[in-house]
Amino acid sequence: MTPLVTIVALCYNHARFLRPALDSILAQTYPRLEVFLVDDGSTDDSIAVLREYAAAHPEWKTVFLPQNIGNCAAFNRAFFQSQGEFLIDFATDDILLPERVARQVARFQELDASYGMLYGNVALHTEAGEFQRLFHAPGPTGALQPAPASGWVFEDVLRRFFISAPSMMMRRATLEQLNGYDETLAYEDFDFWVRASRNWQFSYQDEILTEKRLHPRSMSAQGYRPGDPLVASTIRICHKAAALCRTAAEREALAERVRWELRQAARWGNLPEARDLYALLRELGGAGLIEHGIGAYLKVRG
């Protein structure tokens, strides 16, 4: 039987992007979709557009939240009502190309049940919709950068950033094992990658099936500047990852990530966060001369 696929279309103040995003759901060639329109307390005209599409497509389900509760919690409100064997977390400022669901389901059906997530390449566009670049682009040698990884990728996930979250399709059983996204966090992808890759394999699909908009004012674009809401979540995820490490190689991979995070925190003057990261790095045994120098500076600053 053709698997049911759930698309959780998550909106927060995406009114000017909503119509092309929702039209891209309607353009899918795949025949069995369960669609949730989730509004996370938008203050623009998003609700009006969502209601229009919901009225035109009564089989679509709606979750309209009276106030903003964040991506993780908003996604979970739909996930725990959904039935799909596979799920797509779809930000409604992006575009699903027509074969997106069909191609990803076909790929999942080639994999065994140990694979919990697959991802692919993404075309990155400006807010106005102009193509900028590919997320995985050929480097000087022709190899894709960042280099994709497939299989048991826990160590890769700890060490480096190589997955474009908008391209993901997740197996329901994987999300259920994790009890959905961690609602205490400000963002979802890094934590999902860490927790899911511990027990599930990932697969890279070398196709461009998604268009993502780049927002220069997004939270991720402002990373590590004072007041950045994502830093505390990143640190919590690193602590969670440390508890999941089983080998020296995994701990060193996490130490590499923490070293980078520590340097960014120190660079932008996030001193409490830098202290936490330095302490974690010392626990991992991964502090070098530069990191000890940062530690000495933090000690002087009290």
Side-chain angles (χ1 to χ4, degrees):
M1 184 176 179
T2 304
L4 179 67
V5 175
T6 298
I7 298 177
V8 177
L10 184 55
C11 175
Y12 178 62
N13 289 343
H14 288 161
R16 60 189 174 131
F17 307 121
L18 262 177
R19 293 184 186 280
L22 299 181
D23 287 344
S24 79
I25 296 176
L26 294 171
Q28 292 302 300
T29 62
Y30 190 77
R32 290 197 71 210
L33 295 178
E34 176 186 53
V35 178
F36 279 84
L37 302 180
V38 181
D39 185 79
D40 190 17
S42 291
T43 57
D44 63 2
D45 295 329
S46 293
I47 284 287
V49 178
L50 291 169
R51 291 191 188 282
E52 175 189 327
Y53 276 76
H57 306 282
E59 72 278 12
W60 288 9
K61 302 167 186 177
T62 58
V63 179
F64 294 161
L65 300 166
Q67 60 187 18
N68 184 263
I69 61 174
N71 285 358
C72 298
F75 174 86
N76 281 352
R77 296 300 183 274
F79 167 60
F80 290 120
Q81 299 180 49
S82 69
Q83 301 294 320
E85 182 178 345
F86 304 109
L87 292 100
I88 293 174
D89 179 353
F90 176 45
T92 52
D93 52 348
D94 297 333
I95 299 289
L96 305 174
L97 298 184
E99 292 290 324
R100 161 73 185 266
V101 178
R103 295 295 303 152
Q104 289 194 309
V105 170
R107 176 59 181 152
F108 251 125
Q109 291 179 320
E110 296 171 353
L111 302 170
D112 66 50
S114 68
Y115 282 83
M117 189 273 279
L118 61 83
Y119 68 103
N121 209 341
V122 171
L124 302 176
H125 289 245
T126 66
E127 286 187 334
E130 297 173 350
F131 174 77
Q132 290 290 289
R133 59 186 174 86
L134 296 178
F135 181 86
H136 295 282
T141 66
L144 294 178
Q145 299 295 327
S150 293
W152 297 105
V153 298
F154 180 72
E155 189 176 318
D156 292 277
V157 162
L158 297 181
R159 189 183 305 277
R160 62 192 180 89
F161 175 62
F162 62 94
I163 299 169
S164 180
S167 71
M168 297 193 308
M169 177 179 279
M170 299 168 282
R171 189 183 294 275
R172 177 177 205 84
T174 304
L175 276 166
E176 287 181 336
Q177 186 180 82
L178 303 179
N179 198 31
Y181 291 157
D182 182 345
E183 297 185 12
T184 67
L185 300 174
Y187 70 104
E188 71 289 341
D189 47 20
F190 182 29
D191 182 66
F192 171 80
W193 300 334
V194 168
R195 294 193 294 143
S197 65
R198 177 74 284 175
N199 296 316
W200 300 82
Q201 296 194 76
F202 291 1
S203 179
Y204 176 70
Q205 186 172 11
D206 192 14
E207 298 185 59
I208 302 164
L209 298 170
T210 308
E211 295 177 357
K212 173 180 171 54
R213 294 184 196 271
L214 298 172
H215 299 293
R217 295 170 300 281
S218 69
M219 287 193 298
S220 60
Q222 304 302 315
Y224 272 107
R225 287 158 178 78
D228 173 20
L230 307 185
V231 180
S233 289
T234 298
I235 294 171
R236 289 198 57 220
I237 297 164
C238 287
H239 280 279
K240 291 166 72 174
L244 294 173
C245 287
R246 298 170 184 167
T247 67
E250 290 170 355
R251 287 189 290 275
E252 172 50 36
L254 179 58
E256 184 174 329
R257 165 80 66 143
V258 175
R259 280 193 291 270
W260 188 89
E261 301 288 350
L262 169 61
R263 294 178 188 187
Q264 294 303 307
R267 174 189 176 195
W268 291 103
N270 291 285
L271 300 190
E273 293 84 354
R275 290 188 184 95
D276 196 346
L277 288 162
Y278 178 61
L280 175 57
L281 190 58
R282 292 188 66 184
E283 290 175 18
L284 294 167
L289 288 175
I290 293 175
E291 291 74 38
H292 285 309
I294 293 172
Y297 170 77
L298 295 171
K299 186 175 181 179
V300 170
R301 292 296 300 270

